[in-house]
Amino acid sequence: MADSTQLKSEALMEQMKLHMATDAGKKIVKKIGLVYQINIAPKKIGFNEKSFVVDLKKGEVKEGAYEDGKPDATFSFTDDDFVKVASGKMNPQIAFMRGAMKIKGSISAAQKFTPDIFPKPSKM
Amino acid sequence: MAMRELVTGGAACAVPGTSGSSNPLGALTDALIGSSSKNKERLREIPTATTTTSDGNFFAGTEEPFAALPGTEFEHPLQPNAQGSEFLQGFRSADQNRFADAWDEIQRPQIPHSLGRDSITNIPLEHGPPQRVLSSFLHSFVHSGHGSIPFRPTSLPVLGLSEGDKQCIRDRSSIMARHFFADKSEDFINTQVNALLSSLDIDNDVRSRGPMPGRLPELEEYWNESQGMKFGPYATDGWVTEFSQRQIEHNDPNAWVQSFERQHGANGWATEFEHEQSQLASIDQMRGANISSLAAMEHTRKLAHTLAQNNDPKFQNSKFLQFVSKMSRGEITIEDNQIKQATISAPGDWAAEYQQQYSGGQTWADQFVNEQHSHGQGWVNEFAAERELHGSVDGEWVNEFSKLHVNDWAEEFEHQVAEGVLGESAGDNWANAYDEYLNEQVALKQNSESSRGVYVFSDLNPYVGHPNPLKEGQELFRKGLLSESVLALEAEVLKNPDNSEGWRLLGIAHAENDDDQQAIAAMMRAQEVDPTNLEVLLALGVSHTNELEQAAALKYLYSWLRHHPKYGTIAPADQSDNLYYADVARLFNDAAKISPDDADVHIVLGVLYNLSREYDKAIEAFQTSLKLKPRDYSLWNKLGATQANSVQSADAILAYQQALDLKPNYVRAWANMGISYANQGMYEDSIRYYVRALSMNPKADNAWQYLRISLSCASRNDMLEACDSRNLDFLQKEFPL
């Protein structure tokens, strides 16, 4: 249910979750096959973070930290920045260079994290 | 010290690769300018150079430019210089294509109609944003440089250049003019630049009129400043001019420092500087806690601090200090102790220019290494170390100072300088880079203002002065000419800022044009004028839902209920702060029970369920309202969007199709179509729909980004450049529907 403290990124994550069940989503799972953890902070990276696991091995999106081992790469964003990267407004490389995106884990895994993974929201 | 050596050639500052005693910077400049003798040959090499006629348009009233190149102007290269030709050979061999590309780009004018002789009305407003006008104009200025043909002043439409922009253009154009026309007389240069500036309606009183001695006038100028000379006629640097204007009674440049210090304390400007940095950091939403830039900022802060400590007036007045202080000054005014919002132009350009002048910034750091006898070597080493670390910290500096989110432009410049690619293409690249920069700045300005709810008016508006712009706007809207109606409506609200209908329709037009930011800004104004207008409240709810601003959306939808004559009573008035979604939904359901045939209640319910992502309920609500209002195109779009967001993309496409049947120019629906195809992995199809949407509204930024993603997913990397340069003609030809 929506309440006032909800992150914008949550909407995107939910859409991603639904997307995983589609053909396109399954293609992505086949193509990438990695597990990402994404930590989203409302205003400042590292503070009040909410974690999401985008499991592109199983094709699942869950809230909370990854429990089945170590994710291939972990990203940290602010809410707005994640929305920008997922929608293609901000290039991930640029985001990284500017510190808007923090990465932990395998760099090659991180490089596969591109805007095209995420479905785009449609506008009413 | 070091600067002088750079200019006159001193042992300590030998530029690697050249002989120590020559003037390394002179060599660079000669190479740039001396290449003018190569210009003719190069132009001949390029097959399209003489055959296109479009370029003729760029020259106000002259014949084919290249035919007019008898080579007379190029018979006297500035100085025969072995290094120059070496440099140039490298440039030529390495860079045939780039120059050709630059030419090609010029040949393909970005505006279908020309400037110069042709009248202003030729510029199609839908597709000719002011920056395009400006860029073509600048291109033609560049060309006049190549052809050595006097650039005639033309009257351009009001481009809406801010003071900062004007200053920037003024500074840069005079510097570039000096590069191009360095083998000409001073008067010629001034005439050219004055022509440019007067066309752009930029005040050029501040430009210097006196003769500039020496081959490197700007460099000497800068050098002279650093030596603490009078600021009088050396005014190409707008900063200096401003400074001199502000400090009329002080001829002593130290006075500035002193007065600043008086105002702010000895460390004043360093603290202002820090303050400014933190201000930038907080203003700039994209940065967050930005460790690498914080590190850079920390360095610069220490740097600034260190410099402030040093009381040696020579040091205080050094180029570097002024550079650094200009950075802060560019953002703030000295008088007020207030931090003003950053202007678009000054800091980044100046910094980049600075870099350009100094061949990538190596030199001033070297300069400081040499100058640092009295001072701790600490920060210099740190700085040098960081530079090695990052390749070019200067770039980072520029990024930090200029507040450009993606300062590709300055980086590209560094790049070009480093690779020695300046020269003939420099002018074109400069103009192109300036285009990109302007585009970016306008986009940034729009984004930053809109995100704060400030409406951004278009710069070129032919409807201003129209007797009845509202009626015109409504008519255009009815005909489906969304972008045109936006302009007319803007004219209306400029005339009558209290016209709520004008603002409302403007908001709707923007939303249909797929620009929620502007839609929100316009709707907020409408709401200010008319707080109980239900349509406005609904529209605000929808736009905020689209932007994922869930709390705000809920607030507006709740307002809708409260202000509704029929249902207002069921909504308690004082709950606006503690809105819980569940309560609001319940209230709406009650309302629906009161009047089951009220389509609007169901529409709002549908939007509400979108917020909570209860998509099935949302779909049901929209379908109910569609039974009551089957010809409401916006309702079909809402249904489609809901279906798309719940990954029922095939159904969504059918709904969008219904919407488009009812309203063929519904940009948002076209874009949504693209999204639905892309989300299904059908990238080639999605490209076509995006292109169609963009052809109706080239300002739809979201669509550009999505197009780019689809292009790369469809492995059409060949078209990425067209996408980045927003070349709609090309894209439309390649991807028709």
Side-chain angles (χ1 to χ4, degrees):
Chain A
M1 291 285 169
D3 64 63
S4 53
T5 56
Q6 202 160 33
L7 298 169
K8 293 185 199 178
S9 308
E10 279 195 47
L12 294 180
M13 291 298 180
E14 282 226 20
Q15 212 187 352
M16 184 64 168
K17 190 191 284 187
L18 295 170
H19 187 65
M20 296 274 88
T22 67
D23 288 340
K26 294 192 182 124
K27 271 200 206 132
I28 294 176
V29 168
K30 236 195 268 172
K31 190 172 111 171
I32 302 198
L34 297 167
V35 178
Y36 294 119
Q37 178 169 322
I38 306 180
N39 302 326
I40 310 274
K43 291 287 168 208
K44 201 168 164 202
I45 296 187
F47 292 81
N48 284 338
E49 283 180 336
K50 224 175 194 173
S51 296
F52 297 91
V53 172
V54 177
D55 187 337
L56 296 175
K57 260 195 211 146
K58 286 196 212 153
E60 281 174 2
V61 175
K62 284 204 196 125
E63 213 183 290
Y66 189 51
E67 320 251 286
D68 300 337
K70 237 178 133 198
D72 293 303
T74 304
F75 297 92
S76 302
F77 294 94
T78 60
D79 197 22
D80 286 331
D81 287 343
F82 176 69
V83 172
K84 286 195 182 114
V85 169
S87 67
K89 271 204 182 88
M90 182 162 49
N91 179 313
Q93 283 91 348
I94 303 279
F96 175 64
M97 283 196 318
R98 305 184 66 243
M101 177 169 94
K102 308 274 187 224
I103 307 183
K104 271 195 233 169
S106 151
I107 289 291
S108 61
Q111 279 170 345
K112 297 202 181 139
F113 185 81
T114 49
D116 58 287
I117 301 179
F118 291 91
K120 307 291 170 280
S122 303
K123 309 279 186 184
M124 290 193 288
Chain B
M1 166 288 275
M3 191 54 223
R4 175 137 286 169
E5 283 172 5
L6 280 171
V7 171
T8 58
C13 280
V15 172
T18 67
S19 55
S21 58
S22 72
N23 175 347
L25 276 172
L28 175 65
T29 319
D30 289 345
L32 299 181
I33 296 160
S35 69
S36 59
S37 63
K38 309 280 185 185
N39 197 8
K40 194 172 69 162
E41 291 173 45
R42 285 207 118 241
L43 291 170
R44 288 218 197 97
E45 284 162 6
I46 295 162
T48 57
T50 49
T51 55
T52 65
T53 53
S54 65
D55 246 353
N57 286 337
F58 283 114
F59 291 80
T62 60
E63 72 252 1
E64 242 293 318
F66 304 128
L69 264 190
T72 51
E73 303 83 7
F74 301 100
E75 275 165 11
H76 327 283
L78 262 192
Q79 295 225 327
N81 189 319
Q83 285 144 9
S85 39
E86 214 171 33
F87 165 92
L88 221 20
Q89 271 161 28
F91 161 61
R92 282 181 62 191
S93 54
D95 203 53
Q96 299 268 352
N97 288 331
R98 229 217 249 219
F99 188 52
D101 287 348
W103 275 122
D104 286 344
E105 226 240 299
I106 305 292
Q107 313 300 352
R108 266 196 326 252
Q110 284 165 332
I111 295 186
H113 302 280
S114 67
L115 297 174
R117 288 168 297 172
D118 297 338
S119 67
I120 296 167
T121 56
N122 276 351
I123 298 170
L125 292 154
E126 294 260 43
H127 304 284
Q131 53 265 35
R132 287 281 155 87
V133 172
L134 185 60
S135 77
S136 294
F137 188 67
L138 292 172
H139 276 116
S140 63
F141 180 67
V142 164
H143 276 282
S144 71
H146 289 301
S148 303
I149 290 160
F151 185 78
R152 275 207 218 140
T154 59
S155 60
L156 287 180
V158 172
L159 292 173
L161 296 171
S162 72
E163 267 313 304
D165 290 340
K166 288 185 177 184
Q167 185 176 312
C168 180
I169 294 176
R170 182 172 66 221
D171 300 344
R172 299 196 63 78
S173 58
S174 42
I175 289 174
M176 290 312 295
R178 288 203 155 68
H179 277 300
F180 294 137
F181 307 129
D183 53 346
K184 313 256 181 326
S185 71
E186 194 56 28
D187 285 337
F188 183 84
I189 295 177
N190 286 338
T191 319
Q192 292 292 82
V193 181
N194 289 344
L196 173 73
L197 295 179
S198 62
S199 309
L200 291 171
D201 198 23
I202 296 176
D203 176 23
N204 51 4
D205 286 338
V206 296
R207 285 211 6 84
S208 80
R209 300 252 190 272
M212 291 287 191
R215 298 172 308 173
L216 302 162
E218 317 84 270
L219 297 172
E220 292 211 5
E221 198 181 294
Y222 288 133
W223 172 241
N224 288 333
E225 285 165 30
S226 72
Q227 291 305 294
M229 294 181 57
K230 246 168 75 159
F231 281 74
Y234 303 109
T236 303
D237 184 357
W239 174 84
V240 177
T241 320
E242 240 177 75
F243 176 97
S244 57
Q245 283 172 349
R246 289 177 194 272
Q247 300 284 334
I248 300 170
E249 63 278 25
H250 303 288
N251 275 330
D252 179 6
N254 277 325
W256 175 82
V257 179
Q258 283 158 15
S259 72
F260 192 87
E261 284 184 6
R262 270 199 297 275
Q263 268 190 318
H264 300 280
N267 290 331
W269 74 260
T271 39
E272 284 274 11
F273 190 81
E274 290 171 44
H275 191 12
E276 177 58 16
Q277 290 305 316
S278 57
Q279 185 86 349
L280 277 180
S282 57
I283 286 173
D284 183 354
Q285 292 169 4
M286 283 173 83
R287 285 209 189 139
N290 183 336
I291 297 296
S292 62
S293 76
L294 274 182
M297 273 157 54
E298 197 37 39
H299 283 298
T300 66
R301 191 194 63 77
K302 282 191 217 162
L303 184 57
H305 188 73
T306 311
L307 292 175
Q309 302 289 2
N310 187 334
N311 287 322
D312 175 7
K314 187 167 166 192
F315 198 51
Q316 297 247 345
N317 289 324
S318 77
K319 190 64 180 146
F320 181 57
L321 179 66
Q322 289 165 357
F323 165 82
V324 168
S325 55
K326 184 181 188 201
M327 296 306 106
S328 50
R329 254 205 87 255
E331 309 281 319
I332 62 174
T333 54
I334 296 180
E335 290 96 38
D336 305 331
N337 219 339
Q338 307 275 333
I339 306 284
K340 240 174 36 175
Q341 274 299 336
T343 58
I344 286 183
S345 65
D349 309 335
W350 199 97
E353 235 173 75
Y354 186 94
Q355 285 179 46
Q356 179 193 350
Q357 302 281 339
Y358 294 129
S359 318
Q362 299 254 349
T363 52
W364 64 254
D366 292 334
Q367 169 186 352
F368 274 95
V369 173
N370 294 328
E371 260 185 5
Q372 281 303 305
H373 9 262
S374 54
H375 235 54
Q377 291 289 323
W379 70 260
V380 174
N381 292 338
E382 230 178 292
F383 200 87
E386 176 161 22
R387 201 180 73 218
E388 276 153 29
L389 246 167
H390 291 270
S392 176
V393 174
D394 305 333
E396 275 197 45
W397 267 62
V398 174
N399 283 343
E400 297 316 317
F401 284 114
S402 69
K403 204 194 167 194
L404 289 176
H405 295 301
V406 179
N407 200 2
D408 290 336
W409 174 74
E411 285 167 18
E412 217 183 292
F413 245 96
E414 281 176 54
H415 223 24
Q416 291 180 14
V417 174
E419 294 170 15
V421 162
L422 284 182
E424 290 319 301
S425 61
D428 299 344
N429 283 333
W430 173 77
N432 294 339
Y434 195 75
D435 296 351
E436 281 170 32
Y437 168 60
L438 277 184
N439 283 339
E440 206 179 281
Q441 287 307 309
V442 172
L444 278 179
K445 179 177 169 189
Q446 277 199 327
N447 285 340
S448 68
E449 287 194 354
S450 303
S451 66
R452 282 178 273 130
V454 177
Y455 187 82
V456 179
F457 284 93
S458 317
D459 288 329
L460 284 173
N461 194 340
Y463 293 96
V464 174
H466 192 283
N468 192 350
L470 177 64
K471 191 146 161 285
E472 186 71 17
Q474 288 168 327
E475 193 50 34
L476 289 164
F477 184 86
R478 216 181 42 80
K479 288 192 194 144
L481 298 168
L482 289 170
S483 301
E484 281 295 310
S485 78
V486 162
L487 289 173
L489 292 167
E490 283 186 0
E492 172 64 30
V493 298
L494 280 170
K495 213 164 101 174
N496 305 322
D498 289 334
N499 185 338
S500 73
E501 176 58 17
W503 282 113
R504 188 194 73 86
L505 197 54
L506 188 53
I508 303 248
H510 275 299
E512 294 188 4
N513 236 3
D514 205 24
D515 187 346
D516 276 313
Q517 298 253 352
Q518 287 279 70
I520 289 176
M523 282 299 183
M524 304 267 291
R525 295 294 296 266
Q527 198 217 5
E528 271 171 44
V529 178
D530 185 2
T532 60
N533 186 320
L534 295 175
E535 287 167 328
V536 169
L537 291 169
L538 174 59
L540 279 167
V542 169
S543 286
H544 281 99
T545 304
N546 284 339
E547 296 279 291
L548 305 175
E549 304 268 5
Q550 292 150 34
L554 194 59
K555 185 180 89 182
Y556 288 112
L557 297 176
Y558 185 70
S559 277
W560 187 95
L561 198 61
R562 276 215 304 116
H563 288 109
H564 197 287
K566 225 171 169 188
Y567 316 116
T569 45
I570 67 178
D574 54 356
Q575 243 190 31
S576 302
D577 287 336
N578 276 331
L579 284 175
Y580 281 107
Y581 169 80
D583 297 332
V584 181
R586 191 173 31 86
L587 289 170
F588 268 98
N589 275 304
D590 292 343
K593 287 194 200 105
I594 294 175
S595 316
D597 284 341
D598 186 345
D600 290 339
V601 170
H602 292 281
I603 296 174
V604 184
L605 249 184
V607 177
L608 210 54
Y609 283 130
N610 255 284
L611 261 187
S612 65
R613 297 190 284 277
E614 295 175 274
Y615 293 119
D616 292 332
K617 290 191 190 152
I619 290 173
E620 205 187 302
F622 285 134
Q623 279 170 337
T624 308
S625 53
L626 271 169
K627 284 202 200 95
L628 298 161
K629 275 189 176 177
R631 297 190 61 78
D632 184 340
Y633 57 82
S634 136
L635 207 41
W636 283 107
N637 179 61
K638 288 185 174 71
L639 175 64
T642 310
Q643 289 168 322
N645 287 338
S646 62
V647 287
Q648 298 171 47
S649 294
D651 291 337
I653 288 176
L654 291 173
Y656 295 140
Q657 200 56 63
Q658 294 277 4
L660 286 170
D661 286 344
L662 291 163
K663 180 156 188 165
N665 288 12
Y666 196 179
V667 177
R668 170 149 279 176
W670 285 110
N672 277 342
M673 282 275 229
I675 291 175
S676 282
Y677 280 107
N679 286 349
Q680 292 180 89
M682 298 161 70
Y683 297 113
E684 288 83 5
D685 292 299
S686 75
I687 290 172
R688 293 171 203 282
Y689 287 95
Y690 289 138
V691 169
R692 174 61 74 93
L694 288 165
S695 64
M696 294 178 187
N697 181 16
K699 287 190 193 172
D701 288 334
N702 277 344
W704 282 114
Q705 273 120 33
Y706 295 162
L707 174 62
R708 198 178 203 282
I709 295 176
S710 282
L711 281 170
S712 70
C713 287
S715 307
R716 289 303 307 261
N717 294 331
D718 55 319
M719 297 303 286
L720 282 178
E721 206 202 309
C723 180
D724 288 335
S725 58
R726 303 209 165 181
N727 190 337
L728 263 174
D729 291 332
F730 204 52
L731 289 163
Q732 277 180 289
K733 283 200 200 98
E734 186 70 18
F735 300 110
L737 249 183

